[in-house]
Each structure stands twice: as structure tokens, then as C-alpha cells.
Amino acid sequence: MSVTLSFLLTFLALSQAQPHSDDPPPPSSTVCIVGAGIGGSSVAHFLRLYSPDSTPAANIRVFERNGVVGGRIATVTVAGETFEAGASILHPKNLHTVEFRKILNLKVKEPRSDSFSLGIWDGNKFVFKTVKLSCDVPVLDKLLKLPFVNSLVSLVNSAFMFVRYGFSLFKMQNFVESAVERFLKYYEEPGSRPIFETVDEMLQWAGLYNLTTRTLQDELVDAGLSTKLINELVTVITRINYGQSVNMSGLGGAVSLAGSGGGLWSIEGGNWQMAAGLLNKSDVALHLHEEIKSVADRGDYYELNSTKGNSYKCEIAVVATPLDELDIQFIPPISIPQRKLQHTHATFVRGLLNPAYFGLKAVTKIPDLVGTIENPNLPFTSISVLKKYNEKESTYKIFSRQPMADTLLDSIYSVRKETIRINWAAYPHYHAPEIFAPFILDKRHLYYVNAFENAASTMETSAVAAENIARLILSRYFGKVIVHSSNLSASSQEEGTHFDL
Ligand SMILES: *[C@@H]1O[C@H](CO)[C@@H](O)[C@H](O)[C@H]1NC(C)=O
Ligand SMILES: *[C@@H]1O[C@H](CO)[C@@H](O)[C@H](O)[C@H]1NC(C)=O
Ligand SMILES: *[C@@H]1O[C@H](CO)[C@@H](O)[C@H](O)[C@H]1NC(C)=O
Ligand SMILES: *[C@@H]1O[C@H](CO)[C@@H](O)[C@H](O)[C@H]1NC(C)=O
Ligand SMILES: *[C@@H]1O[C@H](CO)[C@@H](O)[C@H](O)[C@H]1NC(C)=O
């Protein structure tokens, strides 16, 4: 959007808001947020951003059952170095998180400098392998150096991929780009963008809803992709990003494939710092180690009781964590559609892979990223090198649907010095058609950020859902017109250039 136009919109919005300053200020109210992940912290951030003058005067309390913030964004430390253990990568068009990084003054992590190779393992052999490329074409070189597993889609540019998958690769890219393009509608000026009461409505407005009614497989077949590409590369990617097959919904699948433009990024020292920084900036009372066990509607307010025996009075309550595996008592009871979470086991190993496991003679012949196809006998989803110390030692990250037993690890590794296991209730198990829980859990002021997670589960989609919830709260409770112009479209271009060069 041009500078002139956004200036004009800001001006219009400000003039609209003028009459409101004459209204009596609403009495001080409390917003209670359950969960200090990126969703909860983003709700706090957008409430403050869209009410910079502190009218309405709202207190914000954030409850977190763990001793740290970040939720499913967390790091693990292996041999003194930190690695992302949960949500690990961001897309250059993730405009809210791009903005968070900027306002919080966080550093983008330097891409890894060694080269990157991919192999697709079917349980008996590698059906596809790229050779290690240290390419002298700068753009390709940069893509190959990305530390992230998603960057494998960037290998679309590689001749090896083309030989195997042909023009289907470009059809895949078009499919993804069209979904990303539609998603950008959520960054349009708040003044001209509706506030959505349901996820269905929000997805329909952007033209994304249909993608949630069919499987990724069906969408890709219609888009003209070859069976080979769907069963191999696409499957590898959906398994790595969501632990699931191409039977997942088309929208989740498109988001999973959205690494194709390159420029994926993460935050030096850990992405969780976004949640920490937003909370720190948003003037909230943060209650760590305090789990909410009941939310009771008392008419004018909600009563939130915690496992510490405390009771809090909140005019507005926001659930910013998946309810699927929690045992919060709602009075009166709420009813939301059944949803299963997909568990992903992340296992970090410092040691050395055993080439014999892969039928190879030397460890150097094993690709840096071993992806897998759907085969019920495969005990893991992917194995990637996170850091190579020397010929005898690396740190690896394994994803699997089941825990990795010691005996299994001992067959895959010839040396194992350190092993760390994390069982994530990582994201929804996607299916088509998706059925969405409501954003508004009762008819009053009880909200649910994670209703949007059935569309797609990422740090950015949490922020997008949180922004909508903040606007719902401001308009439904405080009767406030949102006047803020956030300049997101302008900043996106700068960032895009920055990352692509
Ligand atoms: C979604 O599907 C419906 C029914 O098939 C169709 O009428 C509509 O045009 C589709 N919307 C988009 C945005 O593709
Ligand atoms: C996808 O779903 C179909 C129908 O339910 C099933 O036959 C097939 O095995 C599934 N494919 C995968 C890869 O899970
Ligand atoms: C919180 O923000 C203040 C400045 O607003 C900064 O000095 C401080 O280091 C921040 N704390 C954390 C934990 O980020
Ligand atoms: C919450 O705690 C208050 C104060 O201890 C108590 O009166 C109330 O009954 C509790 N509510 C629920 C739902 O347990
Ligand atoms: C939008 O951009 C203009 C020009 O760069 C700047 O003056 C203004 O403060 C920005 N507004 C916001 C809300 O960031």
C-alpha cells in the first residue's frame, strides 16, 4: 500500500475515533489470559497496541502453568549450544512476527554456513538423494545453506529435483503461493478489515476456507501434481512439519509447504523471546507456575481459580492454549468439537549415525536431512544434522510419532553421548473437512485463540488469531473503534528485500 493511502486511512480512522474521547471512560476492567505462548502474549500486545492511550483502562493478567513463557516455542541445550526444540522457523511473509522481532529488537539467527543434502528414506533404501552442493550460484547457495528443514522446498530450484519431479514442482509452488497470497489479506488495515466472530467466517473472507474442506492429497491431485511428488517430497514435508500424511487438510498442508520462497528465519537465542518480549512490553501481571483449573461465569465477571488456591475476578477471559488435553472446568460447561492433538517426539542426540543402519559404507554418505515417506514400519519421521562438530560427532534432531527407545537409537547410532527427549502435544491432527471451535466460547466474553489452530498451527497463525481476538474484545466489550494503522504492508517489502538478497 502506498504511503499516501495508508496515511489517509490513518487520518480517516483517527477522525472516526474522535467522538469516543468524549464518552465517559469505562471502569477499570481485567482481562485474564490463560497461556503465555505466542497466542496469549500476542493478545496482550494487540490489546495495548490498539489502545495506546490506556482508555479503556484494562489490567491484564497472564497465567502460565509452566515456569517459563513461550508454550510450544522452547529451546534445548546440547553441548552448551541452544537449538529450537519446538516451533522453529518463520516465513518472510509472517508479517506480525517480522514486526515483533523489529519492535523487540531481537536478532535474526545467521544461516548455517555448511552445505545441505536431502535424502528420502523408505525404510530399505534412499529413493532420492541430492548430492552435497556447495553451489557457486549465489542464490542457490544461500538457499542450500538455510538451517531449516523447510528449506528443502527451496531445492525446487535444484536440477536433481527437476529430473525426478519435473514440472509438478512448479505446480506445487503455485499452489503454495496462492495460499500465501490469500493469507496476506489478514494484514490489511484494521480499519478496512472485518472483525471475525468465527473461524469459518475468517477463513471464508480470505478465500481459504475451501482448503480446509478437502485433503491436501485431493487438492494437489487437482492442481496437477504427480503421484510421485505427492508421495515423496510433499509427504516428507508434511511429516516433518506436522507429523502427518497428505491426508491432512489442504490448508494445513499448504502452510506446511510454504517454505518454497526461501528466506525462512528464526531468532538468535530462541524464538520464545518473542513471547517474553511482548509480555514484558505489555504491562501485564504474569503468574508463572499457576495453572487455571476452573473458569466460572458469575454474571458480571468470570472467576478463575488456580491450582495455587487463588481466585481471580476477570471481566474478560481468554483461553490461549489448546483445550484438548486440559482439564479446565467451565461453569456453565462449554461445548467445542472434539479435536485430537498430534504428538511429536523430538529427540536430540549428540553422537554419530551408524551408516550400516542405512545400508551405507560411510557416515559421510548419509544425507544431512533424512526425510521419510508414509510407511507404518518406519520408526521415525526425520533425522537432521543440527550441528557438525567434527567427523566423529554431530548433534541431530529426530522427529517421530512414537518415543525413540534406547535399543532403537542404538541401532541407528554408532556413538551416542547425550540424548534428550521431548514429547510435544504439538498441533492438531488435521483432517478434512475441519470443524472449528468458536472464537467466543459463550455468548459473553470468554474467548478461545486456539480455535484457529485447526486451520494451521504456526507462530504466525497464533498471532493472526490473537489479533482478531484483541479486536473482538475491544469492540464487543469496550465498544472501541480500532484506529491504529500498523504499517505492516510497508514493512513487509523492506523485510522481503532484506531476506531475499
Ligand atoms: C469454495 O467452494 C464453493 C463450493 O464448491 C464454491 O462455490 C466457491 O466458489 C469456492 N470458493 C473459493 C474461494 O474458491
Ligand atoms: C489416507 O486416507 C485413506 C482413506 O481413509 C486411506 O486409505 C489411506 O491409507 C490414507 N493414507 C495415508 C498416507 O495415511
Ligand atoms: C523488559 O523491558 C525493559 C525495557 O522496557 C528492558 O530493560 C528489560 O530488559 C526487559 N526484560 C526482559 C526480561 O526482556
Ligand atoms: C473458586 O474459589 C473461591 C474462593 O476460594 C470459591 O468461593 C469458589 O467456590 C471457587 N470456585 C470454584 C468453581 O471452585
Ligand atoms: C507508519 O509509517 C510512518 C512513516 O514511516 C511513520 O511516521 C508512522 O509512525 C508509522 N506508524 C506506525 C503506527 O508505525
Side-chain angles (χ1 to χ4, degrees):
M1 179 179 298
S2 74
V3 174
T4 332
L5 185 52
S6 55
F7 174 78
L8 199 65
L9 285 172
T10 314
F11 178 77
L12 285 174
L14 284 173
S15 50
Q16 263 172 22
Q18 219 49 50
H20 276 262
S21 55
D22 296 335
D23 296 346
S28 174
S29 309
T30 300
V31 180
C32 287
I33 300 174
V34 181
I38 193 72
S41 56
S42 298
V43 170
H45 165 71
F46 285 111
L47 282 172
R48 295 298 187 213
L49 182 70
Y50 292 149
S51 281
D53 50 0
S54 314
T55 37
N59 304 308
I60 303 180
R61 290 185 186 279
V62 178
F63 298 93
E64 172 54 56
R65 62 178 165 157
N66 296 310
V68 291
V69 305
R72 286 166 283 170
I73 317 175
T75 55
V76 64
T77 303
V78 183
E81 201 172 335
T82 59
F83 301 98
E84 293 293 351
S88 55
I89 51 161
L90 293 144
H91 188 277
K93 287 186 177 163
N94 285 172
L95 301 193
H96 286 320
T97 43
V98 162
E99 182 75 6
F100 295 167
R101 185 201 66 74
K102 249 198 285 180
I103 60 176
L104 299 172
N105 208 12
L106 297 168
K107 250 184 79 183
V108 171
K109 189 173 174 162
E110 286 294 317
R112 206 164 75 179
S113 59
D114 51 352
S115 61
F116 170 88
S117 60
L118 160 74
I120 302 179
W121 176 247
D122 75 356
N124 293 308
K125 59 181 186 305
F126 285 101
V127 296
F128 175 73
K129 237 165 124 177
T130 63
V131 294
K132 232 172 255 235
L133 282 177
S134 212
C135 186
D136 45 5
V137 180
V139 174
L140 183 53
D141 187 45
K142 184 113 185 179
L143 293 177
L144 291 170
K145 281 176 180 171
L146 285 168
F148 316 113
V149 287
N150 286 46
S151 67
L152 66 95
V153 187
S154 304
L155 296 177
V156 160
N157 296 325
S158 116
F160 299 92
M161 289 281 176
F162 190 75
V163 167
R164 187 159 185 93
Y165 302 118
F167 286 103
S168 271
L169 287 170
F170 298 102
K171 293 175 184 163
M172 176 172 87
Q173 233 170 357
N174 288 342
F175 170 78
V176 171
E177 274 165 21
S178 131
V180 168
E181 211 48 48
R182 288 167 193 211
F183 195 82
L184 293 178
K185 279 180 77 74
Y186 296 131
Y187 306 112
E188 286 176 6
E189 289 292 329
S192 60
R193 178 161 44 90
I195 302 173
F196 303 102
E197 301 219 338
T198 67
V199 179
D200 307 60
E201 198 191 324
M202 184 159 169
L203 292 170
Q204 257 147 10
W205 178 77
L208 290 167
Y209 183 80
N210 284 7
L211 281 175
T212 70
T213 63
R214 304 178 68 215
T215 65
L216 177 65
Q217 160 122 341
D218 289 346
E219 290 290 340
L220 293 181
V221 166
D222 279 6
L225 271 72
S226 69
T227 309
K228 194 183 244 176
L229 179 56
I230 295 172
N231 290 344
E232 294 181 7
L233 188 61
V234 171
T235 295
V236 164
I237 296 166
T238 59
R239 281 169 65 87
I240 289 172
N241 285 330
Y242 285 126
Q244 295 166 55
S245 77
V246 290
N247 274 355
M248 68 184 297
S249 72
L251 184 54
V255 167
S256 170
L257 295 172
S260 50
L264 302 173
W265 57 286
S266 66
I267 286 173
E268 176 80 50
N271 295 328
W272 62 273
Q273 296 167 99
M274 288 191 290
L278 292 178
L279 291 171
N280 185 30
K281 263 183 104 79
S282 302
D283 185 22
V284 307
L286 176 61
H287 302 256
L288 290 176
H289 289 300
E290 187 149 18
E291 183 168 1
I292 296 301
K293 59 172 192 188
S294 67
V295 176
D297 186 348
R298 297 297 183 214
D300 291 341
Y301 63 93
Y302 296 94
E303 170 196 78
L304 270 65
N305 287 8
S306 78
T307 45
K308 280 189 173 168
N310 296 326
S311 186
Y312 301 90
K313 197 175 150 178
C314 326
E315 280 73 23
I316 296 135
V318 180
V319 178
T321 182
L323 285 169
D324 318 281
E325 292 186 7
L326 289 183
D327 196 21
I328 301 181
Q329 186 195 6
F330 288 92
I331 303 164
I334 55 158
S335 132
I336 56 172
Q338 283 271 327
R339 177 171 78 175
K340 262 202 342 227
L341 294 181
Q342 176 83 38
H343 278 249
T344 288
H345 297 263
T347 305
F348 295 82
V349 174
R350 186 161 59 88
L352 197 66
L353 280 172
N354 178 9
Y357 180 87
F358 298 99
L360 298 171
K361 294 233 160 55
V363 75
T364 51
K365 298 271 192 269
I366 305 172
D368 299 311
L369 169 60
V370 178
T372 55
I373 60 166
E374 279 298 325
N375 170 352
N377 299 324
L378 274 167
F380 62 88
T381 302
S382 66
I383 303 179
S384 57
V385 176
L386 294 179
K387 170 104 186 185
K388 198 168 281 172
Y389 306 102
N390 53 49
E391 298 310 307
K392 299 225 148 58
E393 194 171 318
S394 292
T395 291
Y396 303 86
K397 178 163 152 179
I398 308 169
F399 283 141
S400 56
R401 290 178 184 162
Q402 300 298 324
M404 296 292 286
D406 279 325
T407 48
L408 173 61
L409 287 175
D410 287 339
S411 67
I412 299 176
Y413 286 88
S414 56
V415 180
R416 193 153 59 91
K417 294 186 174 160
E418 193 178 349
T419 305
I420 299 170
R421 293 178 172 88
I422 303 172
N423 175 3
W424 289 110
Y427 18 66
H429 185 83
Y430 295 101
H431 52 84
E434 289 289 351
I435 298 168
F436 299 97
F439 280 137
I440 307 167
L441 288 172
D442 54 7
K443 293 281 176 301
R444 296 209 313 115
H445 298 290
L446 176 60
Y447 299 93
Y448 188 27
V449 179
N450 301 73
F452 199 72
E453 246 189 287
N454 294 61
S457 173
T458 67
M459 293 177 269
E460 183 69 15
T461 44
S462 299
V464 164
E467 195 250 6
N468 184 64
I469 297 279
R471 296 172 76 216
L472 272 172
I473 293 169
L474 290 170
S475 70
R476 293 181 76 245
Y477 187 82
F478 296 102
K480 195 175 166 70
V481 179
I482 290 141
V483 300
H484 190 81
S485 149
S486 60
N487 282 3
L488 282 179
S489 21
S491 64
S492 76
Q493 278 153 17
E494 287 162 30
E495 288 299 322
T497 321
H498 173 75
F499 285 113
D500 290 347
L501 285 178

